[in-house]
């Protein structure tokens, strides 16, 4: 989280409702592990969502292209600037860490809250070509993830709970409703932008894979499906920008048309899923399956590309786009009732997620079942098989086993981390939300 000198990093505790936050952190430096424990305790004891915000030095090399950029006049950037300005007056650690105006801010939302806010949305995102590595902006100039920070709480909880809402953010320096105007919108906007950036990153990866697969196919229908879906992103990008500036959506954006196209793609994906599940159910249980039999229901499964794999990626693209639409709907409703931000946000965000989670879970189940199949040798009367037949059997068996790699079948919630790079002019870049 910082360099090997174990520099002191200030950490804020953010409440999103008018609740009393127990004074558990004290004022002594703590380790990241200790902070994680306290975050879980705070989430369990408080009635409203509790998050923590750490201020790290901005690394020399940060790939801003992965995130969503917001100028200094955007609500999120203004809320963050307000928090920094007010707390720097009462905390020397915060004042020193934020004096340059730039920094890398890491907001972590506990699993208890994340399960309400981003269930099914936020999962670890593997870097293309790397095994098990996840995206993170918290790296030093060499690209190595570093975690030697000494975390120091900013401020104290006001005595007798006099300061409500985000009182733990700056202790007695902030009070009552003034604290709430900082914490609740800041957490709301950070979650909205982080989840939207995450979903867009999934869209980009799906498009890359679809394009690669379609190069090996000549099916115009699949290419049309890909073009229609990817074309939806322009309306979604515009709607995202307007909402993050607290503007109003209008029909001229084309968001309704985009949502319609995404809905059709999700119906197609659900229908294909039903056919795949039925085909697997018809296979003889516990017996080897011939490649030809499998290829009838899963076209191209015996090739590197193929229609089946393209259908999988188109489904992933539709889900990623719908995730962004859900966030847009949630933010729009939350901003329509600014006195009840987080409750509206979580309710609206969960409305359509269940269907997406079920679709993804169903596809994951199909891939796991396929990867466990045993392939039979080619049928025929010949007692000896050619080298090409043996090679093909081995190759296809390997490809099918790999279908189950990296499949997530559980919905267990994890802490969600949202990283925000802030420049000296007050503008920010919000990176894809991560499973912390």
């Amino acid at each position: 989280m910082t360099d090997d000198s174990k520099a002191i990093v200030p950490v804020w505790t953010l409440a999103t409702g008018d609740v009393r936050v127990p004074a558990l952190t004290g004022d002594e430096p703590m380790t990241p592990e200790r902070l994680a424990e306290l975050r879980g305790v705070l989430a369990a004891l408080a009635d409203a969502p509790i998050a923590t915000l750490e201020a790290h030095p901005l690394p020399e090399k940060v790939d801003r292209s992965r995130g969503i950029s917001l100028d200094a006049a955007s609500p999120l950037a203004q809320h963050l600037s307000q928090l920094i300005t007010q707390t720097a007056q009462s905390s020397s650690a915060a004042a020193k860490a934020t004096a340059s105006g730039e920094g890398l801010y890491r907001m972590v939302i506990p699993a208890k809250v994340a399960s309400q806010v981003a269930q099914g949305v936020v999962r670890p995102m593997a870097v293309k070509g790397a095994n098990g590595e996840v995206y993170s902006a918290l790296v030093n100039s060499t690209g190595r993830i570093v975690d030697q920070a000494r975390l120091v709480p900013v401020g104290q909880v006001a005595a007798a709970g006099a300061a409500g809402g985000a009182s733990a953010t700056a202790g007695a320096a902030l009070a009552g409703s003034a604290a709430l105007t900082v914490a609740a919108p800041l957490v709301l906007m950070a979650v909205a932008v982080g989840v939207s950036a995450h979903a867009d990153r999934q869209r980009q990866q799906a498009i890359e894979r679809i394009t690669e697969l379609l190069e090996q196919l000549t099916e115009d229908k699949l290419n049309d499906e890909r073009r229609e879906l990817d074309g939806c992103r322009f309306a979604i990008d515009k709607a995202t920008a307007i909402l993050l500036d607290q503007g109003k959506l209008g029909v001229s954006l084309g968001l309704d048309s985009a949502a319609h196209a995404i809905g059709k793609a999700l119906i197609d994906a659900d229908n294909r899923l039903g056919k795949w599940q039925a085909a697997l159910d018809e296979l003889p249980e516990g017996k080897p399956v011939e490649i030809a039999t499998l290829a009838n229901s899963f076209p191209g499964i015996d090739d590197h590309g193929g229609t089946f794999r393209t259908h999988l990626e188109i489904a992933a693209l539709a889900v990623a786009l719908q995730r962004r639409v859900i966030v847009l709907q949630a933010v729009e409703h939350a901003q329509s009732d600014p006195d009840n931000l987080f409750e509206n946000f979580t309710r609206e965000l969960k409305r359509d997620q269940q269907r997406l989670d079920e679709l993804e879970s169903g596809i994951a189940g199909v891939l796991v079942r396929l990867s466990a199949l045993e392939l039979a040798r080619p049928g025929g009367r010949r007692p000896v098989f050619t080298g090409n037949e043996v090679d093909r059997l081995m190759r296809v068996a390997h490809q099918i086993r790999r279908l189950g790699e990296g499949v997530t079948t559980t919905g267990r919630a994890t802490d969600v981390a949202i990283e925000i790079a802030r420049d000296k002019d007050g503008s920010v870049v919000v990176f894809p939300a991560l499973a912390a």
Side-chain angles (χ1 to χ4, degrees), residues 116-141:
Q116 301 171 342
V117 176
Q119 175 108 23
V121 177
V122 180
R123 295 190 178 95
M125 185 183 296
V127 176
K128 186 175 182 180
N131 293 324
E133 188 179 354
V134 296
Y135 285 102
S136 178
L138 292 179
V139 295
N140 62 13
S141 59

Side-chain angles (χ1 to χ4, degrees), residues 127-205:
V127 176
K128 186 175 182 180
N131 293 324
E133 188 179 354
V134 296
Y135 285 102
S136 178
L138 292 179
V139 295
N140 62 13
S141 59
T142 63
R144 182 175 62 86
I145 296 176
V146 286
D147 56 1
Q148 302 298 318
R150 296 174 63 210
L151 300 161
V152 178
V154 176
Q156 299 292 319
V157 177
S167 56
T169 303
L174 296 181
S177 60
L180 268 177
T181 60
V182 173
L186 177 59
V187 176
L188 165 68
M189 299 304 290
V191 171
V193 185
V195 170
S196 185
H198 177 91
D200 192 57
R201 187 65 181 179
Q202 289 182 315
R203 178 199 66 79
Q204 293 175 27
Q205 291 184 329

Side-chain angles (χ1 to χ4, degrees), residues 213 216-217 219 222 299-301 303-311:
L213 291 170
Q216 305 169 41
L217 297 172
E219 295 191 36
L222 291 178
I301 196 172
D303 295 324
H304 174 68
T307 301
F308 172 62
R309 284 179 171 81
T310 306
H311 283 161

Side-chain angles (χ1 to χ4, degrees), residues 226-390:
R226 188 264 299 173
R227 282 199 301 265
E228 184 174 14
L229 272 180
D230 196 35
C232 296
R233 71 182 178 90
F234 299 108
I236 294 174
D237 286 345
K238 292 175 184 176
T240 301
I242 289 175
L243 277 182
L244 294 180
D245 286 336
Q246 293 188 330
K248 298 293 184 181
L249 298 182
V251 294
S252 62
L253 290 175
L255 191 59
D256 289 345
S257 299
H260 179 67
I262 296 169
K264 288 196 303 181
L266 289 173
I267 291 174
D268 289 341
D270 195 55
N271 290 337
R272 287 163 180 162
L273 172 60
K275 293 178 181 178
W276 296 336
Q277 291 171 328
L280 287 171
D281 291 340
E282 292 176 359
L283 295 178
E285 186 174 355
K287 295 183 179 180
V289 181
E290 290 191 8
I291 296 176
T293 301
L294 206 57
N296 285 335
S297 300
F298 303 91
I301 196 172
D302 53 337
D303 295 324
H304 174 68
T307 301
F308 172 62
R309 284 179 171 81
T310 306
H311 283 161
L312 288 175
E313 296 302 338
I314 288 176
L317 174 59
V319 168
L321 289 169
Q322 183 64 9
R323 297 287 191 200
R324 292 196 68 187
V325 171
I326 291 173
V327 173
L328 288 175
Q329 294 169 338
V331 174
E332 184 179 21
H333 283 77
Q335 290 181 347
S336 68
D337 185 5
D339 294 328
N340 198 14
L341 285 174
F342 223 89
E343 288 79 1
N344 273 295
F345 181 68
T346 56
R347 181 171 62 249
E348 294 300 325
L349 194 59
K350 291 167 63 177
R351 176 167 292 179
D352 292 330
Q353 280 182 183
Q354 184 176 358
R355 185 163 67 105
L356 294 182
D357 293 342
E358 290 174 352
L359 176 60
E360 286 191 315
S361 177
I363 292 175
V366 166
L367 294 178
V368 169
R369 291 175 67 182
L370 282 171
S371 67
L373 291 177
E374 179 184 354
L375 295 183
R377 295 188 302 174
R381 297 182 178 180
R382 291 178 297 145
V384 179
F385 299 98
T386 67
N388 288 338
E389 290 174 330
V390 173

